[in-house]
Amino acid sequence: MAKIKPSKGSPYARILGVGGYRPTRVVPNEVILETIDSSDEWIRSRSGIETRHWANDEETVAAMSVEASGKAIADAGITAEQIGAVVVSTVSHFKQTPAVATEIADKLGTDKAAAFDISAGCAGFGYGLTLAKGMVVEGSAEYVLVIGVERLSDLTDLEDRATAFLFGDGAGAVVVGPAAEPGIGPTVWGSEGDKSDTIKQTVPWTDYRDGVVAKFPAITQEGQAVFRWAVFEMAKVAKEALDAAGITADELDVFIPHQANERIIDSMVKTLKLPESVTVARDVRTTGNTSAASIPLAMERLLATGEAKSGDTALVIGFGAGLVYAATVVTLP
């Protein structure tokens, strides 16, 4: 009986570089108020959101991803040809096939990198990061590009008072590669499909195609149910990720939760009893909820502004439609 030769990977993996892209158009709350009965004060008090970015026709899912990825690759100090796999998390690429990852891999100039899309909503970046870590350690790719990208303006019902103000567009990317010591901790992830109706697309694409509904599908959610789940259940998941990494809240430098809602972020900080010394990402204020892109975009901004620095220990957690979640502790690039 023949024996399969073991893979030759790296003992550990870490994030080596990060990049982001925000569309040029900045949309203040006043624009949202043109189509819903609300107020700037109400939107800010409920979500913390002041502005968000919406993409123009040229700022496609692929185009934004290429911009963010180019920055991440340069930040990592490698070339596109060294990328062995491209993993893209998105729910707003409207071609069922081929995967947008293949287009991105080609436009970046990778050398026939493996490329595929995943659909894990706001937890997608954490899912992609976990897959990338496995590929680097297993040896199937030395460097993996993980992208979170969304054009949620295409899936926003501007007449839905509960969601019209929430969503924004953008792309964030990281390069994951080999490391001499652990740089990405164990992932605590999972799903609760019994709660899938709390965040969902209004109707299937086929209902729109067949004329069952005249309105283009959009994202809808049960706000209070999602809020309670995120605040109480995701704080537990975040604590499990800290425990799995073998560190305490006092040893954290940075907390980068999914940028869904500032009230959720504040509640998680309180529940986790994070000390004031921990830098907390609040990119939601000017970027809105960009789903899979929110964590890498927030990470990139913290490093660019100096609020966080290379080598800091950060807890990241994503959660959303499915309901799905993923949390891990990482060393910042």
Side-chain angles (χ1 to χ4, degrees):
M1 182 182 295
K3 291 185 178 180
I4 297 174
K5 186 178 180 180
S7 300
K8 292 183 178 180
S10 170
Y12 306 110
R14 66 165 292 170
I15 299 173
L16 300 174
V18 60
Y21 180 82
R22 292 171 173 81
T24 54
R25 183 187 177 192
V26 177
V27 180
N29 289 338
E30 285 74 19
V31 172
I32 306 300
L33 297 175
E34 294 173 3
T35 52
I36 61 171
D37 180 17
S38 188
S39 69
D40 178 63
E41 189 279 330
W42 187 90
I43 293 174
R44 292 181 189 232
S45 65
R46 292 301 182 97
S47 68
I49 298 172
E50 302 167 8
T51 61
R52 73 283 292 145
H53 295 256
W54 284 355
N56 60 33
D57 291 344
E58 288 72 39
E59 291 167 322
T60 63
V61 165
M64 292 190 294
S65 296
V66 169
E67 290 292 329
S69 299
K71 296 175 184 177
I73 292 168
D75 192 41
I78 64 169
T79 64
E81 289 86 352
Q82 292 175 272
I83 297 292
V86 177
V87 183
V88 178
S89 177
T90 186
V91 299
S92 48
H93 174 58
F94 290 156
K95 288 184 179 179
Q96 191 70 37
T97 192
V100 71
T102 59
E103 179 183 350
I104 295 165
D106 177 64
K107 287 184 174 179
L108 286 171
T110 66
D111 185 18
K112 299 180 181 178
F116 58 95
D117 298 350
I118 59 175
S119 177
C122 305
F125 176 75
Y127 275 48
L129 194 63
T130 302
L131 294 173
K133 173 187 173 183
M135 283 186 266
V136 171
V137 172
E138 186 271 338
S140 58
E142 185 176 13
Y143 299 101
V144 180
L145 181 64
V146 180
I147 303 166
V149 57
E150 302 292 2
R151 272 184 54 124
L152 294 181
S153 58
D154 291 333
L155 286 168
T156 298
D157 180 354
L158 293 178
E159 297 178 345
D160 181 356
R161 188 173 185 271
T163 61
F165 60 90
L166 286 176
F167 303 120
D169 303 337
V174 299
V175 173
V176 176
E181 57 186 34
I184 302 173
T187 300
V188 178
W189 58 352
S191 65
E192 298 184 36
D194 59 314
K195 301 179 180 66
S196 60
D197 280 348
T198 55
I199 307 174
K200 63 182 181 180
Q201 184 171 303
T202 48
V203 295
W205 300 115
T206 49
D207 281 6
Y208 180 73
R209 179 198 66 188
D210 297 340
V212 177
V213 296
K215 200 169 188 177
F216 193 75
I219 298 173
T220 186
Q221 69 174 30
E222 297 175 16
Q224 287 302 314
V226 173
F227 183 88
R228 289 192 297 270
W229 176 76
V231 168
F232 296 109
E233 298 303 320
M234 292 304 97
K236 297 175 186 176
V237 171
K239 179 61 167 59
E240 289 178 29
L242 289 174
D243 293 342
I247 68 171
T248 65
D250 291 338
E251 295 174 292
L252 268 185
D253 299 307
V254 184
F255 179 43
I256 311 178
H258 165 48
Q259 302 293 292
N261 180 305
E262 193 165 35
R263 290 172 62 207
I264 292 175
I265 295 171
D266 288 340
S267 296
M268 292 182 72
V269 168
K270 183 177 180 180
T271 303
L272 289 168
K273 298 179 180 178
L274 298 183
E276 291 186 5
S277 59
V278 175
T279 297
V280 180
R282 299 183 185 280
D283 196 42
V284 66
R285 293 174 179 170
T286 56
T287 307
N289 180 345
T290 55
S291 189
S294 79
I295 290 175
L297 277 174
M299 182 184 295
E300 185 249 6
R301 174 162 282 174
L302 288 176
L303 289 166
T305 60
E307 296 173 81
K309 61 183 185 298
S310 176
D312 278 353
T313 300
L315 169 63
V316 300
I317 178 169
F319 45 86
L323 294 170
V324 294
Y325 56 87
T328 188
V329 175
V330 303
T331 301
L332 295 182

